[in-house]
């Protein structure tokens, strides 16, 4: 019920909008060899002893992009079961830290029918918790 509307190519025009229903259309009629390939690595949930070793393996210092930059990820951190010193270390190493909602409620009605204050307490509250306990600024 919370999905975005389908993209309409009659109204969706670069650079503000781009549609490719099956993901194969290349914007600007570029040749496939001229299109940079981007991979986004994101993770959500608690960061703790159950997964930190996996993240350290994935993001080894010798893992480099073709331009020589180290590989980075985005972590959407949930409060429950998170080791905030591990979050602080990931941030220190240049990874992006975001937040999950505090309660992680799965009910679409909670998010659709909730008030602005509900959303604010879930998201801004998660940010404040992460900033404080991971000592992020």
């Amino acid at each position: 019920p919370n999905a975005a509307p389908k993209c309409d190519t009659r109204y969706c025009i670069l650079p503000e909008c781009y549609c490719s229903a099956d993901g194969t259309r290349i914007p600007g009629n570029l040749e496939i060899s001229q299109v940079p390939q981007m991979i986004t690595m994101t993770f959500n949930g608690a960061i703790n002893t159950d997964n930190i070793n996996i993240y350290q393996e994935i993001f080894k210092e010798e893992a480099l992009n073709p331009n020589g930059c180290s590989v980075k990820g985005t972590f959407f951190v949930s409060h429950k079961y998170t080791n905030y010193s591990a979050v602080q270390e990931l941030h220190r190493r240049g990874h992006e830290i975001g937040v999950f909602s505090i309660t992680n409620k799965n009910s679409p009605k909670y998010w659709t029918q909730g008030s602005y204050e509900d959303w604010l307490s879930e998201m801004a509250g998660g940010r404040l918790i992460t900033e404080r306990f991971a000592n992020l600024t």
Side-chain angles (χ1 to χ4, degrees), residues 26-40:
I26 299 173
N29 297 318
L30 295 171
E31 293 295 322
I32 196 163
S33 62
Q34 300 300 309
V35 179
Q37 300 299 302
M38 309 269 180
I39 297 174
T40 303

Side-chain angles (χ1 to χ4, degrees), residues 31-125:
E31 293 295 322
I32 196 163
S33 62
Q34 300 300 309
V35 179
Q37 300 299 302
M38 309 269 180
I39 297 174
T40 303
M41 294 180 29
T42 64
F43 305 88
N44 66 310
I47 297 173
N48 54 39
T49 57
D50 291 341
N51 53 30
I52 194 65
N53 290 334
I54 295 167
Y55 299 146
Q56 289 171 342
E57 181 67 23
I58 292 170
F59 298 107
K60 292 188 265 191
E61 287 187 28
E62 54 271 8
L64 300 175
N65 286 303
N67 64 1
C69 293
S70 59
V71 177
K72 303 294 182 201
T74 300
F75 295 84
F76 295 97
V77 179
S78 61
H79 178 58
K80 194 173 185 180
Y81 306 120
T82 286
N83 175 334
Y84 285 99
S85 64
V87 174
Q88 184 181 40
E89 179 61 14
L90 287 168
H91 183 262
R92 186 191 69 75
R93 291 180 177 216
H95 298 284
E96 183 178 33
I97 306 298
V99 295
F100 219 61
S101 65
I102 294 174
T103 62
N104 298 331
K105 293 203 181 205
N106 290 326
S107 168
K109 284 186 178 181
Y110 176 76
W111 298 104
T112 303
Q113 297 173 359
S115 67
Y116 175 76
E117 288 74 25
D118 294 334
W119 182 88
L120 190 64
S121 65
E122 288 277 358
M123 300 305 172

